[in-house]
Amino acid sequence: MEYPVQLWPDAPAAEVAATSLLDTLVLLPPRPSALRRLLLLAATTALAAGGALGPTSGASCRLLPLLLGLASGSNLEPGFGPTSEQRPLQATACECLRELESCKPGLLGGTLGLLRGLLGQAGPVQPLSLLLALALRNILVVQSRAGAGLQGLLMAGVSPIKGGLWDWTLVEEGDTHIQPQAPSWQAAEEGKHGLAAREPHLEEAREVRAAVAQLLDITYLLTPVAQAQLLWLLGWALRGLQGQPPALFKPQLVRLLGTAQMTLLHAVLALKAAFGEALFTAQDEALLLRRLTLAAQHPALPPPTHLFYLHCLLNFPENCPLGPEGEEAAPLLLRPQMCRGLLPSLLHDPMALLARLHLLCLFCAEEEEEEKDQVQSLQHSLEELLAGLQQRAALEGGPRALAVLCFQASYLVAHCLARQPTVLTPLIHGLAQLYQARPVLAPHFVDLLGQVRPELGEPLRVLLRQEVVSRPGRDEALRWHLQILAKVANGSDQCATLSFLQAAAGHCTGWDLQQALLRVCRALLQAGGGDGLADLLQVLARQLEDPDGRDHARLYYILLAHLARPKLGVALAPSLAVPALTSSLVAENQGFAAALMVQEAPAPMRLSVGSREIKGPLPVLQLQVEVLEPVYSLELRFRVEGQIYAPLEAIHVPCLCPNRPVRPLLLPLQPRRPAPAQLDVHALYTTSTGLTCHAHLPPLSVNFADLFLPFPQPPEGARPGFFEELWDSCLPKGTESRVWCPLGPQGLEPLVSHHLRPFVVVAQPPTSYCIAIRLPPDSRLLMRLEGAQGDGAPVVLRTDDWAVLPLVGNYLRGLSAAV
Amino acid sequence: MAQRAVWLISHQPRTALCGTVRFSRRYPTVEKRARVFNGTSYVSIPEDGPFLKALLFELRLLDDDKGFVEIRDSCSHINKTSIYGLPIGGEELWPVVAFLKNGMIYACVPLVEQILSPRPPLISISGISQGFELLFGIQDFLYSGQKSDTELNTKLSLLPDLLLQACPFGTLLDANLQNSLDNIHFTSVPQPQKQPAWKAGTCKKIGKTMEIIIQLTKEVQSTFFDQHDLSVPWNFNYRFKCACDLEGIMPNVTISLSLPTNGSPLQDVLVHPCVTSLDSAILTSSSTDTMDDSAFSGPYKFPFTPPLESFNLCYYTSQVPVPPILGFYQVKEEETHLRITVNLKLHESVKNNFEFCEAHIPFYNRGPITHLEYKVSFGQLEVFREKGLLIWTIGQKFPKSMEINLSGTVAFGRKSHEKQPFDPVCIRGTAYVKLHFKILDYTLTGCYADQHSVQVFASGKPKISAYRKLISSDYYIWNSKASAPIIYRKFYV
C-alpha cells in the first residue's frame, strides 16, 4: 500500500483493486474479525491514492454509503459484523471518510447535518468531531465560491444519498481548488488565498457558530493531538467568515496554555497568528510569551520541543510587529529578565546554544538608553561565551562539530551585531588567536570570511594576514597558511606577503603545496601585482619541481607583464568556464581565454546617417552614434557589398558615454560607380569591465542622393553659358531622357530648394531651374526643370552614364513624397 | 496536519552505513495531497537508502567527520530546530523532523499544505508539532520499561499494527501508543459514549479497590561557583505525579496543593492535558516576575479526569532561600597530578535522613587514574580507574557537624580515545562534582497535597495515599579555580 504507483499505475487498476477489496469484505463470516477494519482502510487508500475516487467509479459508490452507514452506527447491512465490533468499525469508518474528504474537499458537504446529529447523540466523540470539523472547514471553502446554502446543509438531518446516489455536486466545486489549510496567515487575511472572506447571512452565521461551539465544548474529551487538529480546523473555518468574533475560543485558552503539549501550544500560536488582537489582548499576548518562555526551557520537556518553542519565540506572531516581516526578532513584550533561563551556556548542545545565542544577540542589539547597564552585562556574557567556544574549538584533536559551532556562533554574532564594535573587536581577536592555536581550521576561516559582512571580515583579514606572514613558513601548517593567504592577500602590505612566499617556496615540494602557493600569487596578481611579484613568479617558473606549477607561474608572469591592471583583474576574475579535470592550468586557461579573447556581444550602440554637408572632392557620410553603455577604444569597421565603392577606412573613437553629446563621425566614400549601397558595420570595443567585445551592427544604407557632388561654381555671369556647355557636351556619347517629376501642393520651388539647392547652376524662380550634378567617380547628371504645371513638372535630363537613368527616375519620383 | 512518511533508524557508528532503517512507513493518500499542495515545489519521498544517507550526513552522524564539507559545515548553515532540509538527488526534502535519542533516530516528513518555495514559516505548518508528537509517542512506547534489545525488537515488530491504529492514514489520532495497543485487543464490553478518547477501551472492573496515589517529587538543580562576581543560581522543579485507579467512565478528581504559612507561591505551573480547568492566577504566576505579597498563595486546585496510567499531573517551581547542600570544589593542576578539595555542608533546616547521598567526581579528557592519595572526613571513596571517576558515598546521614570534606591527589595515565571519550565541557581545568541524593517524605518548601483535600466524584470511596520526596537533578559544584561553562551574572539577581 505504501507504493501505490507500483500497485495501481492508473485509476482503472485502483478501481479494480478497491472493488475486489469490497467484495472480500462482504464475504467475511459474521464473527469478530480484525480484517474488516483493514479492508476498509485498504479500499479507502486504493481509491484515494489510486485516483479512482469519483462519481463514475463503482467502487466509490459502494464504499461511501457503506462508510457513512457504519459511521452513523445505523443501517448496517445484515451480517456485516457482530455488534461488539460496531464501535471500532464506526471509528474506522469516520477515519476513512475523513481521509476521503481530505482528498476530495466537499465530499461530505451533504452530511454536515447528519454528523452534527450523531455527535449530539451517540458515537465515538473524537472521530466524529474531527470528521465534522474537517467537513465544516471544507464546506466553508467550497461554499465561499459556490454560494451553496450553508444553513440548509448544517440543519439537514438527512443522508446525502439521494435516490441511492451520492451527492457529488459540492465536490465538483472543491475538487480543482484543493486549498492550503494554512497559507501564510497574513495572505489569508487579505483574502488572497482561496478562502475569500465572506459575510454570511445572520442565520447561517448562527448555525456555524453553534456547530463550532458544539465541537469546542467537548474538545477536552479528545486526545491532545486531536484537540490541536480540531483547533486548527475550526480556526481556519472561522477565518473565512467575516464578522465572526473568535471569542468562542477564549474559554479554551487558559486550559490550553496550562499544558506544555507541543501540539496544543502550536495550535494556540496558530490561533494567535490567525486572529491577533481579536482573540489576544496585550495581556494575553504577554501571558502566551511567558508560557512559551517557560516551555522553551522546562526540564520535563524533551530538547526538540525546547528548540521548537525557541523558534516560536523568535518568530512570534505579535499583535503589533515592529520589525520587517520574515526576519527573526525578539518580540517587544519579551524582556531580557523573562529570559534569564534562556541564555546560552557551553553546556547546551549546538542547536540549543545557537538558538539561545540568537536571542541573546537580539537583546544585545537593543539600543534603549534605560537598559544600557543590562545590555552591557549581556554583552559581557556574550563575550565570555564566545571565548569559551573559541577555547573549545582550539582543542587539539577535538571533534569538528566544536569548530563548526564556534564559527556558526561567530557568524550569527557578526550578523546580528555588525554595528557593535564592543562585541566585534574581542570576537575578531579571539578568532585570530584561534587560528594561531589551530591553523588546521583554515577552511572554516576561509568560509567565514566569504560569508560575513565587512565589519567583521575586513579587520579579521588584516589580523589573519599579519598572523600568517609573521611566521616562518615551513611547518605542517604551511598549506593552511597558504590557503588563508589566498583569501586575505591583497594590494597593501605586499612586501611581507612576498617575503613569506619566497621563504615558503623552498618548502613547497608537493604538487598541492605548489598549487596553494600559486593561488596566493594569483590573488596578489588580481590585486594588481607589483615588481616583487614579477620576480617571485620568474623564480617559481624556473625552480618549481612540478611542470604544471612551472607552467602556471610562467603564465602568471606573462599575464603580469603584458596586461594592464584593470585587464588583469578581469582576466583573473572567477571563471565562468567549468573547470576541466585535466591540468589545473588548462582549467584556468579556460577562464583566461574567456577574459582575454574578443567576445561576441549584443550591439551597445545605434548608428544612423545624419544630414548631409557637402565638402571636399568626395561624398562624406555623417554618422550619428548613440551608446547605451560606456564604450572605450571603439573601432567601427565598414564593408560595402558588391565592391561598388573602394574599401572604407575604419573609424576610431577613444571613448563614448551615454547621454554625452558626440560629434558626428565622418565616413568618406569612394564610389567605383555611382550607385547606392548597403554598408555592413562591425564594432570592436572595450567595456568598462575591461573585456574586449565585438558586435555586429545593423547595416547602413547609402542613398543615391548621398553621392551627389556639385560642379565648381563659375562666376555669376558665366553660369548660363557654363550650363549650356555642359548640356551640349553630354551628347552624343551620353543620353537624354524626359521624366515627369510629381510635385506636392507647394509647387516646384520648395522642392528644389530643399533637395537640390547646392547643384542649381541657373535659376529663374519659381518656374525654371538648370541643375548640374557630379557623380563620382566621373559621371555627370544635368537636369532642366521648366514649365511646372499643377501637379508636376517635366524634367529633361542628360547624363553621360546610362546606368544612372533608372536611379534618377526613382529619385525624382520619390522627391515629392519627401518634401 | 498529516505525515507523509515516518522512519526509525538505529545509529550504528563504525559500520559501513553508520545506521539501519528499523522501521519506515509511507502514507500514499497524504503523498497524493502533497503533490497537489506543493505544486512545482513538490519533492517526492525518497527510498530508505538515500534518506538514511542524507539524514545521517546532515545530523553529522557519519564517521567521516574529518574534512570540512561546505554544505554541512559552513558557518551560515545554521540549524536551530530539529527540522531539516535534506539534499537528495539534486532536490531538497523539507521539512524533515528528526532527532536522535538513545541511539535511535526518529524522523518524519509532515505534509505542508502550501507551496514550499519560499519556505513557509514553521508556525503555519500544523504537521510539524503533530510529527513531533508522533515521534515522541513512538519513543515513549519503545523505551517505556524496555530493558533489552530483545524487548526493543518485540516492540518494533508491534509498530506497524500500532500505527495502523494510532495513525492509520498519516494523521495522528493518539500519541499514546500504549492506548492503541490496548485498543487492538478490544474487549466486547460496550463502550459508553462521552468516553475520553485518551482513555483506552478497558474499564475498571466493579468491586475492586480503588486507589489514588499522589507523589510529590522535588528535583533540585544547582550550580555553585566560588567567584566573587558570580551569584549562585539554583532552582527547584517539582513533579507532581498521580496514579488513579478508579471506577466509572469519567471519574472526576480534584487535588489541592497547600502551602504552609509564609510558604513561597507555586510558579511556572505546567499541567497535564487531562486537567479540565485552571485558575488563571495559577497560570500567570511566573518565576521571572518580582515577587509581591499579594501573590496568589493557594490552595491550588487541579480538577481532572485521570487517564488509566500513572501520569505527571503538574510541574511547578518555587523559590526557596537556600540550597539544601552547599558545596565547594577546587582542582589545582600540579606538575604530575591534580590536587583536589571538596567541601560539602548540609543546611541545618534540611532533614538529615537520606535514602542515599553520593558525590560523583569525574575527570574528563585524561587517561585512566593511575595513582590516588586521599583523605575523607566522612563516608567512603570508590575509584573507577578506567573511567576516571571517583564516587564519594556519603550514605544516609551527614555527621553532626553537618560538614564533610575530601582532599587528595590524583595522577593519570595515557589517554586512549576509545575508553575515555572526549568531553567538550570539561577542558582547561573546568571540572565539576555532581551530587546525587534523595530524601524521602520531605520537601524544602513544605508544600503538601493533603489526602483530605482530594475530592473524588465517583461511585465508591478510593484509598488515597500521598508521598513526598526530594531528589537531586543536575546538582553541580564547579571547580572554583577555572572558568565555569555557565555564565550567570549580577544581572540575574
Side-chain angles (χ1 to χ4, degrees), chain A residues 472-610:
Chain A
R474 71 184 58 179
D475 55 356
E476 282 173 29
L478 181 57
R479 66 202 203 93
W480 303 122
H481 291 337
L482 291 172
Q483 194 173 354
I484 288 282
L485 264 190
K487 185 81 185 171
V488 303
N490 64 14
S492 65
D493 197 21
Q494 264 203 16
C495 230
T497 309
L498 284 172
S499 48
F500 173 83
L501 292 178
Q502 263 150 9
H507 305 285
C508 290
T509 43
W511 178 84
D512 53 340
L513 274 180
Q514 291 176 13
Q515 291 300 318
L517 182 74
L518 286 162
R519 266 192 289 275
V520 184
C521 296
R522 190 185 201 285
L524 289 173
L525 207 57
Q526 206 165 355
D531 292 344
L533 181 61
D535 296 342
L536 175 67
L537 286 171
Q538 276 186 307
V539 171
L540 292 180
R542 277 197 309 274
Q543 282 185 357
L544 287 183
E545 286 170 25
D546 190 86
D548 190 27
R550 284 200 302 274
D551 287 350
H552 235 116
R554 200 168 296 122
L555 173 67
Y556 287 157
Y557 176 73
I558 292 167
L559 287 173
L560 180 64
H562 290 86
L563 292 182
R565 197 170 156 160
K567 189 88 183 174
L568 199 57
V570 175
L572 291 164
S575 150
L576 295 174
V578 180
L581 283 174
T582 48
S583 154
S584 62
L585 190 63
V586 174
E588 194 155 65
N589 273 344
Q590 289 179 350
F592 292 145
L596 297 180
M597 274 168 31
V598 176
Q599 316 218 338
E600 278 304 320
M605 65 193 75
R606 269 195 297 271
L607 215 56
S608 56
V609 180

Side-chain angles (χ1 to χ4, degrees), chain A residues 1-4 37-38 41 44-45 48-49 51 84 87 95-96 98-99 102-103 121-123 125-126 178-185 218 220-225 228-229 232 254-255 257-263 266 287 290-291 294 298-300 302 304-305 307-308 311-312 314-315 328 336-338 340 343 345-347 351 354-355 358 374 377-378 380-381 384-385 391-392 395 398-402 404 407-408 411-412 443-444 447-448 451, chain B residues 1 24-26 28-30 32-33 35-37 47 60 65-68 70 72-84 99 113-114 121-126 128-130 132-133 136 164-165 168-169 171-175 186-188 191-198 221 237 250 268-273 275-280 282-284 286-289 315-316 319 417 422 424-425 427-428 478 483 485-489 491-492:
Chain A
M1 287 291 189
E2 293 185 48
Y3 297 92
R37 188 171 177 272
L38 298 181
L41 295 176
T44 305
T45 306
S84 64
R87 200 118 183 134
E95 292 312 326
C96 292
R98 184 149 73 112
E99 198 58 22
S102 300
C103 294
Q121 301 152 13
V125 176
Q126 176 165 311
I178 187 164
Q179 276 303 317
Q181 177 210 350
S184 78
W185 294 97
I218 45 171
Y220 69 95
L221 292 171
L222 273 52
T223 60
V225 287
Q229 291 167 20
W232 278 88
V254 174
R255 183 174 69 81
L257 286 177
T259 77
Q261 277 277 332
M262 194 198 252
T263 44
H266 190 189
L287 176 62
R290 252 185 226 181
R291 299 302 292 180
L294 166 63
H298 202 280
T305 311
L307 294 175
F308 182 71
H311 174 88
C312 292
L314 290 175
N315 296 274
E328 300 203 317
Q337 294 90 326
M338 285 165 66
R340 59 183 181 189
L343 297 187
S345 87
L346 294 174
L347 289 177
M351 284 200 288
L354 289 170
H358 196 170
Q374 199 173 59
S377 160
L378 287 171
H380 203 75
S381 311
E384 285 185 29
L385 178 78
Q391 275 185 12
R392 293 204 315 196
L395 282 180
R400 183 163 299 273
L402 286 182
V404 172
F407 283 91
Q408 288 182 336
Y411 171 80
L412 199 58
H444 290 271
D447 171 57
L448 182 73
Q451 309 264 6
Chain B
M1 45 196 79
S24 75
R25 176 88 167 85
R26 289 162 176 75
T29 51
V30 184
K32 178 128 183 129
R33 272 179 276 156
R35 201 166 287 144
V36 178
F37 281 126
E47 290 299 312
R60 205 178 277 288
D65 191 29
K66 297 288 171 277
F68 172 86
E70 194 177 340
R72 180 190 63 194
D73 298 333
S74 169
C75 61
S76 59
H77 181 73
I78 293 179
N79 209 359
K80 294 179 292 180
T81 57
S82 310
I83 297 150
Y84 304 87
F99 58 85
E113 300 180 30
Q114 44 194 314
L122 289 182
I123 294 189
S124 75
I125 306 170
S126 59
I128 296 277
S129 54
Q130 296 274 336
F132 272 119
E133 288 296 346
F136 293 148
L164 210 54
Q165 286 284 336
F169 288 110
T171 308
L172 185 59
L173 306 177
D174 190 354
F186 55 80
T187 54
S188 58
Q191 292 174 3
Q193 92 115 351
K194 288 260 177 181
Q195 164 147 15
W198 32 265
Q221 285 184 332
N237 285 295
M250 283 266 299
D268 301 343
V269 179
L270 286 188
V271 296
H272 190 270
V275 173
T276 47
S277 68
L278 202 58
D279 193 319
S280 57
I282 298 180
L283 199 60
T284 49
S286 159
S287 60
T288 56
D289 291 343
Y315 299 90
Y316 61 90
Q319 295 184 0
H417 280 275
F422 179 79
V425 175
I427 54 167
R428 297 191 180 200
W478 293 95
S483 61
I486 311 177
I487 305 138
Y488 287 94
R489 303 211 142 257
F491 163 69
Y492 293 100

Side-chain angles (χ1 to χ4, degrees), chain A residues 245-544:
Chain A
L248 283 171
F249 293 107
K250 202 109 190 182
Q252 305 291 330
L253 290 181
V254 174
R255 183 174 69 81
L256 296 172
L257 286 177
T259 77
Q261 277 277 332
M262 194 198 252
T263 44
L264 292 178
L265 271 189
H266 190 189
V268 171
L269 277 169
L271 288 177
K272 172 81 179 64
F275 297 110
E277 245 175 330
L279 187 58
F280 287 80
T281 60
Q283 285 93 340
D284 296 337
E285 188 175 60
L287 176 62
L288 179 53
L289 274 172
R290 252 185 226 181
R291 299 302 292 180
L292 270 181
T293 316
L294 166 63
Q297 54 185 308
H298 202 280
L301 301 174
T305 311
H306 293 159
L307 294 175
F308 182 71
Y309 288 145
L310 273 167
H311 174 88
C312 292
L313 274 177
L314 290 175
N315 296 274
F316 187 76
E318 291 185 87
N319 283 348
C320 315
L322 283 182
E325 201 181 306
E327 198 166 288
E328 300 203 317
L332 205 62
L333 290 173
L334 188 75
R335 302 317 309 147
Q337 294 90 326
M338 285 165 66
C339 297
R340 59 183 181 189
L342 279 184
L343 297 187
S345 87
L346 294 174
L347 289 177
H348 291 118
D349 69 81
M351 284 200 288
L353 188 139
L354 289 170
R356 286 161 174 250
L357 176 66
H358 196 170
L359 192 65
L360 176 59
C361 288
L362 291 172
F363 285 137
C364 286
E366 287 185 3
E367 284 164 355
E368 272 136 52
E369 198 55 35
E370 61 264 33
E371 288 176 352
K372 214 171 169 186
D373 289 348
Q374 199 173 59
V375 169
Q376 257 176 9
S377 160
L378 287 171
Q379 284 187 355
H380 203 75
S381 311
L382 178 64
E383 210 175 297
E384 285 185 29
L385 178 78
L386 289 170
L389 286 172
Q390 284 156 3
Q391 275 185 12
R392 293 204 315 196
L395 282 180
E396 206 56 51
R400 183 163 299 273
L402 286 182
V404 172
L405 180 60
C406 175
F407 283 91
Q408 288 182 336
S410 307
Y411 171 80
L412 199 58
V413 171
H415 181 75
C416 295
L417 300 170
R419 289 200 204 106
Q420 307 236 1
T422 45
V423 177
L424 287 195
T425 312
L427 172 62
I428 291 162
H429 284 275
L431 285 171
Q433 279 171 7
L434 174 60
Y435 181 73
Q436 197 174 9
R438 242 184 131 194
V440 67
L441 297 179
H444 290 271
F445 280 93
V446 171
D447 171 57
L448 182 73
L449 286 170
Q451 309 264 6
V452 290
R453 297 191 210 166
E455 286 90 341
L456 178 84
E458 284 314 314
L460 184 58
R461 269 169 213 272
V462 173
L463 275 187
L464 286 177
R465 190 168 57 236
Q466 286 167 357
E467 171 59 34
V468 168
V469 298
S470 63
R471 294 179 172 214
R474 71 184 58 179
D475 55 356
E476 282 173 29
L478 181 57
R479 66 202 203 93
W480 303 122
H481 291 337
L482 291 172
Q483 194 173 354
I484 288 282
L485 264 190
K487 185 81 185 171
V488 303
N490 64 14
S492 65
D493 197 21
Q494 264 203 16
C495 230
T497 309
L498 284 172
S499 48
F500 173 83
L501 292 178
Q502 263 150 9
H507 305 285
C508 290
T509 43
W511 178 84
D512 53 340
L513 274 180
Q514 291 176 13
Q515 291 300 318
L517 182 74
L518 286 162
R519 266 192 289 275
V520 184
C521 296
R522 190 185 201 285
L524 289 173
L525 207 57
Q526 206 165 355
D531 292 344
L533 181 61
D535 296 342
L536 175 67
L537 286 171
Q538 276 186 307
V539 171
L540 292 180
R542 277 197 309 274
Q543 282 185 357
L544 287 183

Side-chain angles (χ1 to χ4, degrees), chain B residues 336-340 363 369-373 390 408-412:
Chain B
T336 54
H337 55 265
L338 296 183
R339 180 170 297 281
I340 60 168
F363 299 97
I369 296 174
T370 50
H371 178 78
L372 173 72
E373 268 176 52
L390 304 180
T409 54
V410 203
F412 301 91

